[in-house]
Amino acid sequence: MSTEQIDVVIVGAGLAGLSSAVFLGMNGVKALVIERREGTSILPKARGANPVTMEALRTAGLAEAIHKAMPPGKPAITSVVSESLTGKVLYDHVAHRPDFSMFSPERPGMASQARAEEALLRRAQELGAQVRFKTRCDSLAQDDDGVDLALCDLDTEQTYAVRAKYVIAADGIRGSIAGWLGIGTHGLGAIKSVTAVRFKADLSQWAGDNAMVIHYLQNPALPDGAGVLVSTDYKNEWVANMSADPQRDEGGMREIIKIMTGLPDLDFEIIGTVSYDYGHRIADRFRAGRVLLTGDAAHVMPPTGGQGGNTAVQDGYYLGWKLAAVIQGKAGPALLDSYEIERQPYAEEVCNWQVANLAERRRIDTLAERIGAPLDHATLLFGYICPPNGALAAELGNEDRRFEHPAQASGRPGARVPYVELEGEDGAKVSPRHLLGPWFMAFTAVPGGAEAARAAADELGVAMKAYQVKSTAPLHAGEQQTVLVRPDGVVAWRGADNAGIEPALRTVLCR
Ligand SMILES: Cc1cc2nc3c(=O)[nH]c(=O)nc-3n(C[C@H](O)[C@H](O)[C@H](O)COP(=O)(O)OP(=O)(O)OC[C@H]3O[C@@H](n4cnc5c(N)ncnc54)[C@H](O)[C@@H]3O)c2cc1C
């Protein structure tokens, strides 16, 4: 039998794998996604897409689908630290959250992981991806030109061969691919074992009508003095997360749920349990030759703060345009090095942030000491600066600075293009973050800058949208500069010389 040949095989159809398929499809590459399960996840796992994820999903035409997939209730979030669902509230995260509308045009999405995966699957298929469920990757081996995979059809137990130019390992927390490639991990490892108990109960009278409700519980009567109570996609279905205890029976879980709700006479039905570890593990490398790690395969974090799913989707977004450009011959293969260079430092920080949240919300002082002080929320989401050896034409000075508060943004290469409005030559408003898509952008107040940017892009065969504006000062650049922006909204270069645009674009594309 002849070996099937394909540009990209993605192993795993979770948030990381499906979003990679979507963003590759959006950039013109049709991937093969394989997944050993029968379908997408039905478990109530990650909740909520932050504004940065929503910006990425909007470029793929998915923002409205994610908003529509919100659970029943008012489009609002309750996230508090409390003694119980009905007890004293100790801290309200939403009340203390900074106003993110200054930094992004998008509001958060509230779809659960199960609903988000359904939407991503549909969109990936619309964009040309093939998705094969009940298919397991049993091995892979790479040479200079490609990767050979052994895939097993789980219906027939037949194994067949596929050869890919590149593989995305989106095989999650229990994935094997990183291990097969000899990629180690670092971090705190397994932090805590928890049991998630799904139960049915009508709690609306106490929980209110918000679509998403999370209570981080601090109560000495609970095992280890803490737990988490979370709403799901179904009005009367909840998940109670408690410290794991192999000796605990259903009666024990019921007692804990009564303490968590603060309702000793609550009538409820337990419908399932799953035990898992909160972990902190970052892969030592995100790339081994033609294999790239995304999502939990690259970085494992506890769920406190809700960034695990977001980071998985964003990995696909930041990788998609690069891998497509390399496959299409628009960029040199070295562009793929920048995936690890740019994403690993972000993953380190976000994993630490979630652990710091866990330490604080569960009052684990020893953990807090080990992880140090976390970044503030706005800086974590909007303030990352890619390292100077990433896919950008770097500026000298402050090379080691990885984060800045978005209210004091520098606009330097490697940072997000800020959420601001420029004035076009015709007086029309030009808002860079509203214009993101599978193309480079240039915002220029240099005479002839837009033509120079288009000519450079034509020369290199990449898509470019160039806007002549009255001033580039709102981008934290000089009054009369050109600011070159990558397809993922990261500033690639800025300068006043039209002749500098093409070399900058060449640097970004590793040509
Ligand atoms: C109970 C629970 C609750 C959680 N709650 C939250 C939360 O509130 N907030 C948050 O941000 N995160 C949460 N998480 C974490 C979040 O779910 C993950 O960060 C997210 O799922 C990562 O997506 P992924 O695509 O990388 O991995 P996954 O969703 O794990 O997907 C990996 C896929 O790869 C498949 N696979 C693995 N190996 C192979 C193979 N050899 N061949 C074929 N397929 C393979 C697996 O079957 C799986 O479907 C939770 C996780 C769990 C388990």
Side-chain angles (χ1 to χ4, degrees), residues 11-18 34-37 39 41 43-48 113 117 135-138 170-177 180 196 214 230 241 274 276 294-297 299 301-310 312 354:
V11 181
L15 288 174
L18 291 171
I34 61 132
E35 166 57 57
R36 63 186 173 196
R37 290 178 319 201
S41 174
L43 290 173
K45 298 194 280 185
R47 305 286 309 267
Q113 179 157 347
E117 286 187 8
T135 302
R136 188 181 63 220
C137 173
D138 284 342
D171 53 344
I173 193 166
R174 293 187 190 86
S176 310
I177 295 179
W180 295 342
I214 305 179
V230 198
N241 285 287
V274 51
Y276 61 103
T294 64
D296 280 10
H299 38 69
M301 61 192 89
T304 24
Q307 298 305 316
N310 282 288
Q354 301 264 108

Side-chain angles (χ1 to χ4, degrees), residues 4 15 26 32 80 91 156 214 216 281 285 314 480:
E4 204 178 331
L15 288 174
M26 190 176 101
L32 167 64
V80 294
Y91 187 80
T156 62
I214 305 179
Y216 293 95
R281 248 184 358 255
R285 286 180 293 147
Q314 289 173 28
Q480 277 215 322

Side-chain angles (χ1 to χ4, degrees), residues 123-398:
R123 190 70 185 123
Q125 289 170 324
E126 279 166 17
L127 290 165
Q130 271 187 69
V131 184
R132 285 183 208 160
F133 288 106
K134 294 167 97 178
T135 302
R136 188 181 63 220
C137 173
D138 284 342
S139 70
L140 57 77
Q142 56 178 319
D143 53 42
D144 288 347
D145 304 316
V147 189
D148 292 305
L149 298 104
L151 304 185
C152 179
D153 177 331
L154 295 175
D155 275 332
T156 62
E157 287 295 325
Q158 296 288 316
T159 299
Y160 59 99
V162 171
R163 185 166 171 82
K165 288 181 188 149
Y166 289 94
V167 169
I168 295 181
D171 53 344
I173 193 166
R174 293 187 190 86
S176 310
I177 295 179
W180 295 342
L181 296 166
I183 299 178
T185 59
H186 57 274
L188 301 176
I191 300 172
K192 185 161 194 51
S193 295
V194 289
T195 301
V197 184
R198 283 165 70 194
F199 66 99
K200 266 190 185 161
D202 182 0
L203 295 172
S204 45
Q205 162 183 5
W206 301 281
D209 194 27
N210 285 353
M212 207 168 138
V213 179
I214 305 179
H215 280 249
Y216 293 95
L217 304 163
Q218 293 184 353
N219 186 328
L222 291 170
D224 291 335
V228 190
L229 197 58
V230 198
S231 62
T232 68
D233 283 328
Y234 307 101
K235 190 137 190 63
N236 292 338
E237 241 181 75
W238 291 80
V239 176
N241 285 287
M242 52 191 78
S243 292
D245 178 354
Q247 310 302 325
R248 187 184 298 130
D249 59 11
E250 186 171 323
M253 292 177 199
R254 295 184 71 85
E255 285 313 306
I256 292 169
I257 290 172
K258 288 179 183 175
I259 298 167
M260 285 183 162
T261 53
L263 300 166
D265 300 322
L266 181 69
D267 182 25
F268 63 98
E269 177 196 349
I270 291 185
I271 51 177
T273 63
V274 51
S275 288
Y276 61 103
D277 284 339
Y278 285 169
H280 175 267
R281 248 184 358 255
I282 300 107
D284 295 338
R285 286 180 293 147
F286 283 19
R287 178 187 180 193
R290 292 176 170 269
V291 185
L292 297 126
L293 270 49
T294 64
D296 280 10
H299 38 69
V300 172
M301 61 192 89
T304 24
Q307 298 305 316
N310 282 288
T311 313
V313 174
Q314 289 173 28
D315 285 346
Y317 180 56
Y318 291 105
L319 176 59
W321 72 271
K322 293 180 180 177
L323 186 51
V326 171
I327 286 170
Q328 292 157 348
K330 296 174 182 172
L335 178 59
L336 294 179
D337 291 339
S338 72
Y339 169 69
E340 173 181 306
I341 290 168
E342 295 181 355
R343 289 304 287 168
Q344 198 186 37
Y346 183 74
E348 303 269 0
E349 200 61 47
V350 83
C351 288
N352 289 350
W353 193 77
Q354 301 264 108
V355 172
N357 286 336
L358 177 68
E360 184 205 309
R361 290 174 200 178
R362 296 203 128 201
R363 290 190 183 143
I364 313 177
D365 294 341
T366 48
L367 197 55
E369 283 158 20
R370 288 167 79 189
I371 212 73
L375 289 176
D376 75 275
H377 202 167
T379 301
L380 183 88
L381 296 194
F382 307 105
Y384 178 59
I385 307 172
C386 299
N389 57 341
L392 48 98
E395 281 176 11
L396 293 178
N398 291 326

Side-chain angles (χ1 to χ4, degrees), residues 22-23 26 53-63 106 123 127 317 433-439 487-488:
V22 164
F23 294 117
M26 190 176 101
T53 304
M54 289 306 295
E55 288 175 356
L57 293 172
R58 184 170 295 284
T59 66
L62 272 167
E106 296 293 338
R123 190 70 185 123
L127 290 165
Y317 180 56
R433 295 217 72 85
H434 279 112
L435 297 168
L436 295 172
W439 43 70
D488 52 16

